Amino acid sequence: MLATLSCLTASPIDAQDASRPLVTPGVSAELAAFRRGQLRDVRYDLSLTVSAGDTAAGRVSASFIRRGTGDVILDFRGLALGEAVVNGTPWPEAPRYWNRHHLTVPAARLRPGRNVVTLAFATPVASAGAAIIRTRDAADSSTYLYTLLVPSDANLLFPCFDQPDLKARVTFHVTTPPAWRALANGAATTRDSSARGVTHHFAATPPLSTYLIAFAAGPWSVHTRREVIAPGGRPVPTALYVRRSRAKEAEADTLLAMNARALRWLGAYFGVPYAFPKYDALLAPAFPFGGMEHPGAVFYNEESFIYRERPTTTQLLGRQATTFHEVAHQWFGDYVTMRWFDDLWLKEGFATFMAARMQADLEPTSNAWKTFYLRNKPVAYGTDATSGTTPVWQVLGNLDQAKSNYGPIVYNKAPSLLRQLEYLVGPAAFQRGVQQFLREHAYGNATWQALLGAIGRASGRDLSAWGRQWMLRPGMPIITQQLETANGRITRLRLVQRPAQPALSGAGAWPLKVQVRLHYADRPAVSLPVELRGDTTVVVGATGRPVPAFVFANEGDYGYAIVLPDGASVSWLEQHVSEVRDDFLRAMLWGALWDLVREGELAPVRFARMALRALPGERDEQLAGALVGRLGTSVNRYASPTVRDTLLPEVERLLLAGAGDTTRSYGTRKSHLDAFVGLAQREGALRQLRTWLTGDSAAGLPLRAPSRWAMVTRLVARGAADRDSLIAAERRRDDTTEGQRLAFVAAAAAPDSTVKHQLFDRWFRDAALNEEWVTSSLRAFHEPEQQALTRRYLTTALDTLPWIQQNRRIFFLGSWLSATLGGQSERTALDLVDRWLSARGALAPDLRQKVLQARDDLERTVRVRERFAAEPARSTSGSEGHTGPADPPGGR
Ligand SMILES: [Zn+2]
């Protein structure tokens, strides 16, 4: 595909050779395509010597079968290259063929068929910005190391062919100080001691993509347990690695059993048992993700797997969902891998979808699809309805931009589309298609077309148009319900869809299949499956039926669309939504009402009043938590200052009462308490926080460190004069690594320009500062009530995006933008962002999209505030605050 490739001949690189197309920084799509045709059967024999120091020394033998006569290009951007040997012959001039991104092995040194290139190298070890992450445990001064290579840092760790479709068998040898343990993808084989320390040897793995290679080292505590991990198989040893100081707190048996249960269930569903030789998990301290699915060595975020205070149901379900997600990746991602990161959705979408499918089957009472809805849809719509959204399949020119492909579109929209697809073709055909896909691409790579092809064949349905609309087209539909009635009967029910962003998505309807519910207060509901093929769909089955209490066009959450109910339905829901017994349906209805607020069609004060009325009786813990959050946002962010000041005392009373209500579940009480702390701003509320801190209990709930820190942070944010002594006192109580981190966060909340200035500077200058610490301090720094103070950082924060993209991990940029812009709610800030955008014509498109995604909520906030600025706080019930969508003439 590239004519220049056949005459490629390497010459020594004198630093400025980055103009040659294949050896530009990163891994270009061209280089990946070239190597895809050139290389096969890759193997790495990888030795690393690690310690608590700043560098690791390594040696790799990369063995591969080469086709053609061209040079071979390895990727490496570590610290240094040392001794090199090609096919047994020393190659002393190798460093001159390294441009700090790629090492070009000249064709003259290579032969047809199998070649072996052996290289010595050094790679950095650091708290942030290195392939090997180092954390130090404050409790016992131990050092722990682990790798995190996704998506493009395998070539920072060692010289390799860093692209997902050059899978390799990897054999690790890790040399550590004597008292350390080590863990890697392969099974541990032998250990030997030398003057340098102990060398841990691991067996060769099945073929792995480079981003999935992993090891960890340190004085980990290990808990082993025999588990059946293949359906009908025999028990095999599995292990959980935890740092020593927290080993007692980890529910090791529970966690290993949960992983094994998922492995068995998925093996049965996919018709392929777990495909790697062993399964271990590690709880990684200060881990920047929720989890990472390395085959055989899954890493989880310690912070969300070991609880420092009693967990809520929402937290427990979240931990289970993360576990199931990472285990599902062992098939979707690890066993069959996307060919290139443009198809990132394929693994992420499946992992989340399968996690819910499994939760629904294994825990029938968990109402898993309700959890799926609450965890995914608001987040997906929150990005996909913006002008910065992208298609699910995302063009990717270079691996070093792959981080930009991560976000709600692949994590939350993609699994939602799989739910829609399963509903469209039926669960049995869906499963048969997926099984076929996995069989066809075992240990290999595939694209979205291959997946839809397999499901299409299994279901006898041509999915190419579906794929074009949902995979390649950016954006999403908004559906409005139009209900016409006469003489107590429905004369016509129409569903009208339009793109949320017409300029971006273009015209035309998305193909959708939904379930429409006609809900009656006094008779059974009617559910009607409807396929939407055009802009307007008449729900034929509704005509002639009695007028319902309300209509909802996405019962069961199969459809992917923002559904805005008609005026009559909104009027009924406003009075009676809490009477809807089905928790899942009620959660969706609240979601639809909230969407009306965000669309500027329902006054925030009206939503707040509905929530104030409903919350005391809301028995669903997850929904109560979501509702408490939205109540806070409607009052504190969307409503006018007058409305806020009027409603706050009422909100505080409700939250206090909810927190102290012993008839309600712990999680419901805790979400009320957390919201009270988060909203505390009046004198009485702040005094209450101090009373709780002194008494060590709050509203009858015992206070543990995380909640105490939240209160301290809130007091600091509100300008407590004794903030230094407050933080110091709390640090004395909580002398752990987490305590240090939370003290750092609390300090960031101070409404003090010197503190802000020093911290902003430190985020960029202090290489020893762990990235996770920076991430967790962003929200406190950008406390919305301090927006006058933080607005001056807005454009600087945007100017740093290219640096962040280069130097921070996948999710950091999104957190950075959402905290920075989320800390603002006024038009002045919006104007600053817009001026910045229009002055940056040369801004990389992926960064522009990320800014537009984050800008959307600020823009909505400004719009909602301006629109309802004059809304009285004491409005009575009725529909005057609901400005649309209007019922058509003839509506009841
Ligand atoms: Zn994932």
Side-chain angles (χ1 to χ4, degrees), residues 219-233:
W220 303 97
S221 164
V222 187
H223 180 90
T224 55
R225 183 181 155 98
R226 294 180 76 80
E227 288 282 357
V228 174
I229 60 174

Side-chain angles (χ1 to χ4, degrees), residues 38 50 98 150 174 201 207 253 322 419 531-532 557 598 600 651 739 762 829:
Q38 182 192 33
V50 296
W98 181 45
V150 68
V174 183
H201 301 278
D253 283 324
T322 302
R419 176 151 174 82
E531 281 204 41
L532 280 60
D557 192 34
R598 288 175 41 83
V651 173
R762 193 177 163 203

Side-chain angles (χ1 to χ4, degrees), residues 51-71:
S51 66
D54 291 339
T55 50
R59 175 176 297 274
V60 64
S61 285
S63 155
F64 50 87
I65 291 177
R66 164 179 172 261
R67 281 182 279 205
T69 54
D71 302 340

Side-chain angles (χ1 to χ4, degrees), residues 65-104:
I65 291 177
R66 164 179 172 261
R67 281 182 279 205
T69 54
D71 302 340
V72 163
I73 299 170
L74 285 135
D75 314 319
F76 183 59
R77 55 188 172 86
L79 294 173
L81 265 188
E83 187 193 6
V85 176
V86 180
N87 294 325
T89 308
W91 180 30
E93 62 271 31
R96 293 176 56 209
Y97 286 77
W98 181 45
N99 70 355
R100 305 206 71 85
H101 301 280
H102 303 281
L103 172 71
T104 305

